[in-house]
Amino acid sequence: MKKPEQIDAVALLPELDKILFELLEGLSLNDWDKQTIAPKWKVKDVAVHLLDGNLRTLSMLRDKYYSEKPDAITSYSDLIDFLNRLNADWIKATKRLSPKVIIDLLKSSGREYCDFLATLNPNDKAEFPVAWAGEQASKNWFHIAREYTEKWHHQQQIRHAIGDEKTLLEERWYLPYLDTSIRALPHHYRHVKAKEGEVIKFTFLGNTEKSWFLHYQHGWELMNATHQAPISAVRIKDSDAWKIFTKGMKREEAIANSKIIGDQKLAAHIFDMIAVMA
């Protein structure tokens, strides 16, 4: 058996930003107003949310400035409610910004954002844990990989809205997204019982076939490889996986588009998994 290795996403972030800028600069005014897969957000709203991510990271993590603090966070749902309020306030406040202003701000803040993340020691403790993976404390490499998934899936929401999804499904961009997101599986399956030694195989189908395994040994562990034959296996299209993990596709549709072999109930839990703060 082989456990997943540390993800190095920091060098990809400036390049991911570069293709975002190229994308946004080619949009028409009508494109900026198109509805995305996120029910409350149009293309412009997603773009300014990406800007907010840059500015919040620089303000809180680099400058140690925390102006807005929640009243009382006693649960994960309290945290989500707080973040949703922050997001809604920001979207409302930036309605007056033009596309050009948004792109210019994304470029300037993006450079500082990427430069800052590159200064972090990958193995030091991150300021914020990756909560959707069930961690109480995370290392910086996982925090940076989580940041990559945020930038990846929001850019993909824009691309989906304008009919240009294929670029980010190329393995160079998609595999780091998937390799990070899939690490939510053990936490997601924490209440699912199985017999000792049982294995579930998860395969994602696109330009190349990529698989991960959950192995049950007093709890679930994520593996890159195993010699143990799986009792259950699920095959999911790349074009569907990111939507499943970001609440962009209904469970019934995702199951209908996928193939499950063996124990149907055991494998199907993945269709409820979310790898974002939602």
Side-chain angles (χ1 to χ4, degrees):
M1 292 189 180
K2 181 181 177 184
K3 292 186 178 182
E5 298 177 352
Q6 179 174 310
I7 300 167
D8 183 7
V10 70
L12 280 174
L13 284 165
E15 298 182 59
L16 189 65
D17 267 359
K18 182 181 178 180
I19 62 171
L20 171 68
F21 305 150
E22 292 170 354
L23 172 69
L24 296 180
E25 287 172 337
L27 297 183
S28 67
L29 286 177
N30 182 58
D31 289 333
W32 282 85
D33 199 43
K34 285 183 177 177
Q35 180 62 48
T36 72
I37 201 169
K40 296 182 179 180
W41 287 356
K42 296 185 177 181
V43 165
K44 183 182 176 186
D45 300 325
V46 175
V48 296
H49 178 68
L50 284 166
L51 174 61
D52 187 30
N54 290 350
L55 299 177
R56 270 201 243 174
T57 292
L58 292 170
S59 296
M60 292 189 295
L61 303 189
R62 187 192 65 182
D63 303 338
K64 308 302 179 185
Y65 184 75
Y66 300 82
S67 62
E68 292 186 88
K69 296 180 181 179
D71 296 329
I73 300 295
T74 59
S75 66
Y76 185 80
S77 62
D78 287 343
L79 176 59
I80 296 303
D81 288 343
F82 172 69
L83 293 176
N84 285 339
R85 288 197 300 273
L86 290 182
N87 290 337
D89 289 346
W90 178 258
I91 297 298
K92 183 178 180 180
T94 52
K95 290 290 184 185
R96 67 197 68 173
L97 299 183
S98 71
K100 185 179 187 311
V101 166
I102 293 167
I103 294 170
D104 288 346
L105 290 173
L106 277 167
K107 286 181 177 180
S108 59
S109 64
R111 285 192 294 271
E112 293 187 58
Y113 165 94
C114 292
D115 288 347
F116 167 71
L117 291 183
T119 68
L120 299 177
N121 184 323
N123 291 306
D124 283 351
K125 182 181 176 182
E127 183 78 12
F128 299 113
V130 183
W132 49 252
E135 295 201 348
Q136 299 299 312
S138 300
K139 291 186 177 181
N140 278 326
W141 70 261
F142 197 17
H143 164 73
I144 294 168
R146 183 255 309 274
E147 290 287 297
Y148 179 87
T149 67
E150 280 288 303
K151 283 184 171 282
W152 186 98
H153 96 261
H154 286 308
Q155 184 178 153
Q156 186 70 338
Q157 287 174 332
I158 294 173
R159 290 182 179 276
H160 178 267
I162 65 168
D164 180 21
E165 293 181 71
K166 290 184 179 180
T167 298
L168 289 191
L169 291 178
E170 293 174 9
E171 185 167 335
R172 179 191 184 196
W173 306 112
Y174 190 62
L175 188 55
Y177 166 81
L178 196 57
D179 193 17
T180 304
S181 300
I182 208 70
R183 296 177 196 233
L185 270 174
H187 178 64
H188 180 68
Y189 267 75
R190 66 193 181 281
H191 299 308
V192 178
K193 299 300 181 183
K195 295 179 182 178
E196 295 296 307
E198 288 187 333
V199 170
I200 313 171
K201 182 178 182 180
F202 302 91
T203 299
F204 300 89
L205 306 171
N207 293 331
T208 58
E209 189 172 298
K210 304 165 286 291
S211 297
W212 284 264
F213 303 83
L214 273 184
H215 176 250
Y216 193 84
Q217 197 73 43
H218 309 297
W220 294 103
E221 285 186 292
L222 186 66
M223 300 290 176
N224 271 348
T226 178
H227 297 298
Q228 182 77 25
I231 65 162
S232 184
V234 59
R235 297 169 69 83
I236 302 172
K237 298 175 185 176
D238 282 353
S239 56
D240 289 343
W242 75 272
K243 298 172 188 173
I244 295 168
F245 300 156
T246 60
K247 297 179 70 174
M249 176 178 281
K250 291 183 178 179
R251 186 177 193 272
E252 296 76 16
E253 181 184 358
I255 292 175
N257 288 352
S258 304
K259 183 177 181 180
I260 301 177
I261 303 166
D263 189 321
Q264 302 276 312
K265 186 176 180 181
L266 196 59
H269 284 285
I270 192 175
F271 297 106
D272 299 316
M273 193 184 89
I274 299 172
V276 290
M277 297 293 286

